Amino acid sequence: MTAINMNNTNKSRTLNAITGRLSLRKPQEQSLHALAKAIDAAPDVISSNQDVAALLKALSAEFPTLVDFEREFPSLCFALATGVGKTRLMGAFITYLHLAYGIKNFFVLAPNLTIYNKLITDFTPNTPKYVFTGIAEFAVEPPVVITGDNYEEKGAQLKNDMFGDALDVRINIFNISKIVSEVRGGKAPRIKRLSEYLGDSYFSYLAELDDLVLLMDESHRYRASAGMRAINELKPRLGLELTATPFTESNKGPVPFENVIVDYPLACAMDDGFVKEPAVVTQRNFDPKQYSQEQLERVKLEDGVRLHEATKLELFTYAKQHNVKQVKPFMLVIARDTTHAAQLLELIESDGFFNGRYQGKAIQVDSSKSGAAEEEMILRLLAVESVDEPTEIVIHVNMLKEGWDVTNLYTIVPLRAANARTLIEQSIGRGLRLPYGKRTGVDAVDRLNIVAHDRFQEIVDEANNPNNPLRMRQVILEKDNGEQPKDSVAVTSKLEALVSGSSVQSATGHHYDVKGVNAQENSGGENEREKPIFNGVAEKEAAKAALRVLQSYQNKPDVAPTSKSLLNDEIQQQAYKAVSEHLSGKQQSLLEEEEKIDLHELISKTTKLVIEQTIDIPRIMVVPSGEVTYGYTPFMLDMGNLNLQPSNRDLIIRSLQTDEQVSLSSQISHKYQRLEDYVVEHLVDYDDISYDEHAELIYDLASQAVNYFRDVREYSEDELHNIFFGFGKRIADTIHAQMAEHYWEKASAYEVTVTAGFIPLKDAAYTTVDKEIHSVRTTVQDKGKIKKMLFGGFKRCLYDVQKFDSDTERTFALILEREAEKWFKPVSGQFQIFYKDGVNQREYQPDFVAELKDKIVMVETKARGDISDAVVVAKAEAAKKWCNNASEYLAKHEGKPWEYWLIPHDEVTENRDLPGFISAI
């Protein structure tokens, strides 16, 4: 092996580069740094000259939890909770070892076929979860992946180059369960047979490598196996183990690993938001003694389905609102045995269970299967994430283990006896992964539900046990009173609906009678619009193509500054050419029909429809130009909420084996003469604080903090040094948060850039408790239900369906229906308007946008008491600036000006007219 000598500065840069390029999470970064620290402390850990006992002694001094390698070679364990990302960490390990030390040969062990196949995929370029994405050194020459299926051919071809030293990184991936099955009965595994390609067994070839590093995924699964003993003969330089459960099972209970150097348990992953938040669920005032075993199971199953259906709708709505992939959730039922599982499957697929809704949507995982049959069955389960796969309920008997890395498990119904701790740990292990990689802030999207009516208090008590690292929320289900969400709908703009023929997509497949509500409201003879505008397959196809071509001009404001510009003869001719080319690629039968269409007339009709159903919303970007200065206005610091006490920094160490207790005193490692310096050293770490430009202010604020603890809290100088040394960063964080409220920025000029002249309306998504569209003119007696209802019957709205947050909004919509030319309620992302909320930049979503005869108004209705609220004022200021910029742009192109109206809710009455609101603003 040709070693690479890299100094500490370059190693640090390499670590930082890998962390940034691979977007490592905190525990992954900690693990990578721990590996680097281990090699720095004991460099021989990756050399061919190893004294294993000496290495253990050196590394134990750095990592107190390391007691024994438990191997004939140095092996280090990284215990990371499920969902943190162990595969990506393996990629980071390989990258660092290669870049920092020139190591080229790696051997990756998988515990079963499922993980084996997953690892091969994740180490293959151009796959969704490729572990080396962002690593420039592997972009041109990616590592060569050699597997248990192709090593005889591929390994032989890549054994050596003509100089006897391979240039590329090689990653060997093998399935340990396959090796285990091949050594039963004393047989040598296939990997040790002679190979006609190598002239020696591939096993011997690997064992002779002087830089082989062994990576063991889910290592707890095969620590004591015969296959693992065979792997020991590889004599790797270093072993790296990854597992979420750093112990093996024995008759006497769990046996902890003795080579753990990083421990990031599930509780930490929960606190840091890397996994779903588990919650235990029951009914309010539920008494399990009132039910037989069979009745209890039925109640739990039915409540599980209720949760599942509600979650499915919330996920559908979230995906539509945020334009992200749709997630299809499924429910996991844990059965007692295979007979019980079969009975549950029969029940769930019966006509009497939710009217037969789950027929063909449940699958039984039979634990009587083993070996290849078991692996094939588990492989089928992987398809449960696909939105096109019908399975919504999986029934299993304690066999869904590591490697089943689904992200769409949201509801678990355990129906077998187990103690509370086992029930918690085994139940939630497979359901914690987040579908979007991070928490969304939407409770239903971020929560894993465990339905446990009969074990609720027991599980709560266990979760509250201070010795249990897991913490669980409590969810109380009300009895099914019809208030649970029943559907989620995606609503397209009326323009899209007029072209495609459908405006509402239901998550449950329910048909919403939009036309019926419109016909009822427009019965006075104004329902001509409900007649189809485009008829026949070819005409509809041509209209869709024309709409897409015309909408593409939104991003060409120099050619089409407003929607009315689409009537320009040159644009019409270009649209005709583009649509003709599109139709020429369709089937011949469509072309024959197309010959009967007057394409010029169709494009003209589509253009007029676009203009009629569009309010010109420009996409505006404001960027500073010239010299930009920034700073902070001096202010008085508020320290009232910072209750800090001097701390005793002595550490108490208690042996869990002998109960012996010792203490370790700790002195302040460095002591500043000025107390302010403890705070300033942390303040200058913030990217937005320049010491040279802000030194006077930050020392003033630090002095205010010192004076607060000295004069108000009356601490001695020694106590002050203790507090500011121990809590300097926390004090700095408090100061920085308040500085953000006094931040200012000035530029010599601001440049307003318009990147789109008119933006198509985004799809809306709503969750509703009923499956009816109500007339907007319906007086709702129970105002609290308005948020859960859908409304239609509009003449001038640019959507067929809208949802209101209050009766004030519904009433204002009636005024707009009477007096506006066209209007709509914007959805998230329609306007890119941002306002300052403390230290955060947030997007502003106004209540209404309406085009009047002489202007376009952006409207916010607010409770009168909230009009002067700081956040409301910040939103209004941001919206007014946007309106000013939009008006300036549109004035150059014969467009209407924009205005912002902030209207108190008590001004909104049906007898008011729109001009009357101007005096109230």
Side-chain angles (χ1 to χ4, degrees):
M1 178 180 75
T2 303
I4 294 179
N5 294 318
M6 184 178 286
N7 60 39
N8 289 335
T9 301
N10 288 336
K11 287 178 187 175
S12 179
R13 288 176 181 169
T14 300
L15 287 169
N16 292 336
I18 294 171
T19 298
R21 292 179 192 173
L22 295 182
S23 301
L24 297 186
R25 294 169 165 177
K26 182 180 71 172
Q28 295 168 324
E29 182 181 0
Q30 290 173 346
S31 299
L32 182 61
H33 281 265
L35 173 61
K37 179 181 177 182
I39 299 175
D40 288 342
D44 284 348
V45 77
I46 56 170
S47 76
S48 56
N49 302 314
Q50 291 186 342
D51 181 337
V52 176
L55 288 173
L56 178 62
K57 183 176 180 181
L59 290 173
S60 296
E62 293 290 337
F63 304 100
T65 54
L66 176 61
V67 178
D68 186 38
F69 290 137
E70 302 191 63
R71 302 269 185 268
E72 297 175 5
F73 54 87
S75 187
L76 307 174
C77 179
F78 301 83
L80 303 182
T82 296
V84 169
K86 293 186 283 295
T87 309
R88 180 165 289 263
L89 179 58
M90 282 195 279
F93 284 162
I94 291 170
T95 303
Y96 178 70
L97 291 171
H98 176 64
L99 297 182
Y101 297 100
I103 293 174
K104 300 174 184 175
N105 291 285
F106 300 88
F107 192 95
V108 180
L109 270 184
N112 56 38
L113 181 61
T114 304
I115 296 182
Y116 168 72
N117 288 332
K118 176 181 178 295
L119 287 172
I120 292 174
T121 300
D122 291 349
F123 277 97
T124 301
N126 301 318
T127 53
K129 296 182 180 180
Y130 182 50
V131 296
F132 298 119
T133 298
I135 302 300
E137 291 80 358
F138 290 156
V140 179
E141 292 289 340
V144 177
V145 177
I146 305 166
T147 72
D149 300 308
N150 69 12
Y151 68 90
E152 291 177 314
E153 296 83 7
K154 200 165 189 176
Q157 295 169 5
L158 300 173
K159 180 178 178 183
N160 285 304
D161 64 10
M162 61 184 296
F163 301 105
D165 184 18
L167 298 176
D168 39 26
V169 173
R170 302 175 183 183
I171 301 174
N172 298 269
I173 303 177
F174 283 84
N175 176 8
I176 187 70
S177 67
K178 190 73 176 293
I179 298 172
V180 170
S181 67
E182 291 177 353
V183 298
R184 288 173 183 156
K187 298 178 182 178
R190 177 167 167 256
I191 194 174
K192 296 180 75 173
R193 294 176 190 165
L194 293 177
S195 167
E196 62 182 298
Y197 299 101
L198 299 181
D200 193 2
S201 73
Y202 192 65
F203 188 94
S204 298
Y205 160 67
L206 290 172
E208 290 171 1
L209 294 171
D210 65 353
D211 67 340
L212 186 66
V213 172
L214 177 64
L215 294 99
M216 294 163 271
D217 194 13
E218 305 291 359
S219 60
H220 64 282
R221 291 287 303 278
Y222 46 82
R223 267 207 164 199
S225 70
M228 194 65 245
R229 289 192 292 274
I231 295 300
N232 280 332
E233 298 175 22
L234 278 174
K235 301 177 183 177
R237 294 290 164 262
L238 175 64
L240 303 174
E241 302 183 38
L242 296 102
T243 179
T245 50
F247 55 83
T248 55
E249 295 290 349
S250 72
N251 295 332
K252 297 180 180 180
V255 180
F257 290 4
E258 295 186 328
N259 62 340
V260 175
I261 67 169
V262 172
D263 186 16
Y264 186 81
L266 187 55
C268 293
M270 290 180 185
D271 290 341
D272 292 338
F274 293 142
V275 294
K276 294 192 191 97
E277 185 178 9
V280 59
V281 181
T282 190
Q283 281 187 20
R284 188 176 303 280
N285 302 321
F286 188 83
D287 183 2
K289 299 186 183 70
Q290 296 179 2
Y291 299 86
S292 68
Q293 181 68 27
E294 184 176 336
Q295 290 172 330
L296 181 60
E297 288 186 356
R298 179 74 181 245
V299 170
K300 290 168 70 175
L301 280 174
E302 290 178 345
D303 283 346
V305 170
R306 285 173 56 198
L307 276 169
H308 166 71
E309 291 290 346
T311 302
K312 183 165 61 173
L313 299 180
E314 294 289 350
L315 286 167
F316 180 88
T317 302
Y318 180 83
K320 293 296 183 182
Q321 286 179 338
H322 296 84
N323 195 27
V324 292
K325 69 176 182 179
Q326 187 174 335
V327 175
K328 180 204 74 176
F330 76 95
M331 183 172 89
L332 184 66
V333 180
I334 306 173
R336 293 190 297 273
D337 50 42
T338 55
T339 302
H340 186 219
Q343 293 169 347
L344 292 171
L345 180 64
E346 183 180 0
L347 169 63
I348 289 169
E349 293 198 322
S350 67
D351 292 335
F353 190 79
F354 287 88
N355 298 318
R357 190 188 307 168
Y358 289 92
Q359 291 177 5
K361 295 183 179 181
I363 183 175
Q364 178 185 346
V365 180
D366 191 350
S367 61
S368 65
K369 297 179 182 178
S370 61
E374 177 190 4
E375 290 175 343
E376 180 183 355
M377 177 185 57
I378 293 177
L379 279 174
R380 288 179 56 202
L381 286 173
L382 296 179
V384 81
E385 284 189 294
S386 171
V387 293
D388 300 320
E389 207 280 332
T391 302
E392 293 189 40
I393 298 178
V394 174
I395 307 166
H396 87 101
V397 184
N398 193 29
M399 67 175 302
L400 300 182
K401 300 182 180 179
E402 294 83 6
W404 197 50
D405 292 335
V406 291
T407 61
N408 60 330
L409 173 54
Y410 273 89
T411 307
I412 299 176
V413 182
L415 298 179
R416 74 159 187 267
N419 66 59
R421 175 118 191 203
T422 301
L423 196 62
I424 295 172
E425 294 179 352
Q426 291 186 1
S427 294
I428 69 177
R430 298 301 94 208
L432 287 172
R433 296 179 187 274
L434 290 162
Y436 298 109
K438 60 182 180 181
R439 288 187 183 168
T440 64
V442 178
D443 186 54
V445 180
D446 298 336
R447 190 180 72 219
L448 171 67
N449 300 300
I450 302 176
V451 180
H453 297 350
D454 51 333
R455 312 294 295 281
F456 180 81
Q457 191 58 49
E458 183 184 349
I459 292 176
V460 169
D461 291 343
E462 177 60 32
N464 290 333
N465 184 339
N467 296 321
N468 187 347
L470 302 180
R471 288 172 296 283
M472 300 183 70
R473 283 181 51 193
Q474 302 175 30
V475 176
I476 307 298
L477 278 180
E478 302 293 345
K479 290 188 176 180
D480 192 355
N481 56 7
E483 288 299 306
Q484 293 295 323
K486 294 293 179 62
D487 202 1
S488 180
V489 297
V491 182
T492 63
S493 66
K494 187 177 289 186
L495 173 61
E496 292 284 345
L498 290 170
V499 174
S500 66
S502 175
S503 62
V504 178
Q505 177 191 356
S506 166
T508 64
H510 177 72
H511 172 70
Y512 286 85
D513 188 13
V514 176
K515 292 183 178 180
V517 176
N518 289 342
Q520 177 185 343
E521 292 301 317
N522 301 330
S523 58
E526 297 185 27
N527 59 345
E528 291 297 315
R529 173 54 80 200
E530 297 304 324
K531 296 180 179 179
I533 297 176
F534 304 103
N535 298 285
V537 176
E539 190 168 303
K540 289 181 179 178
E541 182 65 36
K544 290 178 185 177
L547 178 60
R548 298 295 168 254
V549 170
L550 293 168
Q551 286 180 332
S552 70
Y553 281 92
Q554 65 165 310
N555 298 316
K556 300 174 183 177
D558 52 334
V559 177
T562 66
S563 59
K564 289 186 175 66
S565 304
L566 297 175
L567 291 170
N568 180 282
D569 288 342
E570 185 176 346
I571 293 178
Q572 290 286 293
Q573 289 300 322
Q574 291 174 351
Y576 177 86
K577 182 180 178 182
V579 175
S580 297
E581 291 176 354
H582 172 80
L583 292 179
S584 68
K586 296 296 178 180
Q587 298 175 357
Q588 186 62 36
S589 61
L590 210 82
L591 282 174
E592 292 173 359
E593 286 191 48
E594 185 264 324
E595 292 175 1
K596 305 173 186 176
I597 301 173
D598 184 341
L599 201 53
H600 282 293
E601 175 63 25
L602 182 139
I603 291 173
S604 176
K605 187 191 297 185
T606 306
T607 305
K608 292 175 183 176
L609 192 61
V610 169
I611 296 170
E612 178 185 311
Q613 294 293 325
T614 297
I615 294 177
D616 287 340
I617 304 172
R619 177 75 76 208
I620 299 171
M621 294 180 61
V622 181
V623 293
S625 60
E627 183 180 358
V628 180
T629 57
Y630 73 98
Y632 301 88
T633 305
F635 63 95
M636 294 302 297
L637 197 61
D638 180 7
M639 300 290 288
N641 294 323
L642 208 59
N643 183 23
L644 304 177
Q645 306 288 335
S647 60
N648 182 350
R649 297 183 53 81
D650 291 352
L651 299 179
I652 305 299
I653 305 169
R654 188 184 186 97
S655 169
L656 297 179
Q657 184 176 9
T658 64
D659 280 342
E660 181 182 357
Q661 182 171 298
V662 296
S663 63
L664 181 65
S665 297
S666 175
Q667 300 297 323
I668 296 178
S669 58
H670 63 277
K671 191 171 184 178
Y672 288 118
Q673 288 188 342
R674 290 195 302 176
L675 290 165
E676 290 84 354
D677 290 338
Y678 291 115
V679 179
V680 172
E681 71 169 338
H682 294 292
L683 282 173
V684 297
D685 286 339
Y686 289 103
D687 293 336
D688 56 345
I689 296 179
S690 166
Y691 179 83
D692 293 334
E693 297 180 17
H694 305 128
E696 183 177 351
L697 174 65
I698 60 179
Y699 267 106
D700 173 67
L701 295 171
S703 294
Q704 290 185 44
V706 171
N707 292 336
Y708 171 79
F709 285 102
R710 177 181 284 140
D711 300 336
V712 178
R713 305 301 298 275
E714 298 183 347
Y715 287 123
S716 68
E717 286 300 306
D718 285 343
E719 288 174 327
L720 288 170
H721 277 281
N722 181 295
I723 289 172
F724 279 81
F725 173 77
F727 300 105
K729 187 175 188 312
R730 185 171 172 185
I731 296 171
D733 290 342
T734 299
I735 293 174
H736 181 252
Q738 295 183 46
M739 288 177 69
E741 299 173 6
H742 299 273
Y743 176 83
W744 59 264
E745 180 179 287
K746 294 180 181 178
S748 55
Y750 287 92
E751 183 177 333
V752 179
T753 303
V754 176
T755 59
F758 54 96
I759 305 168
L761 297 184
K762 297 173 69 69
D763 290 353
Y766 308 120
T767 302
T768 178
V769 299
D770 60 19
K771 294 187 176 182
E772 181 182 354
I773 296 178
H774 302 268
S775 168
V776 67
R777 289 163 179 79
T778 299
T779 300
V780 182
Q781 299 300 325
D782 186 352
K783 309 299 185 189
K785 289 185 177 181
I786 286 181
K787 286 185 178 182
K788 305 171 184 178
M789 299 167 65
L790 299 179
F791 292 88
F794 306 112
K795 299 176 185 177
R796 302 181 182 184
C797 183
L798 298 185
Y799 291 90
D800 280 325
V801 176
Q802 296 277 244
K803 194 174 184 183
F804 303 116
D805 288 334
S806 64
D807 196 51
T808 298
E809 288 191 0
R810 185 192 65 83
T811 302
F812 193 78
L814 287 173
I815 299 172
L816 294 177
E817 277 289 287
R818 189 179 66 228
E819 301 190 26
E821 292 185 354
K822 42 194 166 183
W823 67 275
F824 71 100
K825 284 183 62 63
V827 300
S828 176
Q830 186 68 63
F831 290 87
Q832 293 189 358
I833 302 175
F834 297 92
Y835 66 97
K836 199 82 176 274
D837 181 10
V839 297
N840 299 309
Q841 287 281 114
R842 303 193 189 280
E843 181 188 359
Y844 173 48
Q845 182 180 327
D847 288 340
F848 295 92
V849 169
E851 183 169 340
L852 312 184
K853 184 176 181 180
D854 59 344
K855 68 187 70 172
I856 302 172
V857 293
M858 182 183 292
V859 182
E860 181 83 17
T861 59
K862 264 299 185 254
R864 182 172 291 277
D866 293 337
I867 293 290
S868 59
D869 179 79
V871 172
V872 174
V873 171
K875 289 178 179 179
E877 289 177 353
K880 288 175 182 177
K881 288 179 182 178
W882 189 95
C883 288
N884 290 338
N885 290 324
S887 297
E888 186 176 338
Y889 167 77
L890 290 167
K892 300 174 184 176
H893 304 288
E894 301 180 355
K896 296 178 181 179
W898 281 72
E899 291 182 4
Y900 181 75
W901 294 359
L902 178 59
I903 302 175
H905 79 289
D906 52 9
E907 297 281 345
V908 180
T909 56
E910 208 171 332
N911 63 343
R912 293 289 297 270
D913 59 8
L914 288 175
F917 285 115
I918 298 177
S919 60
I921 298 170

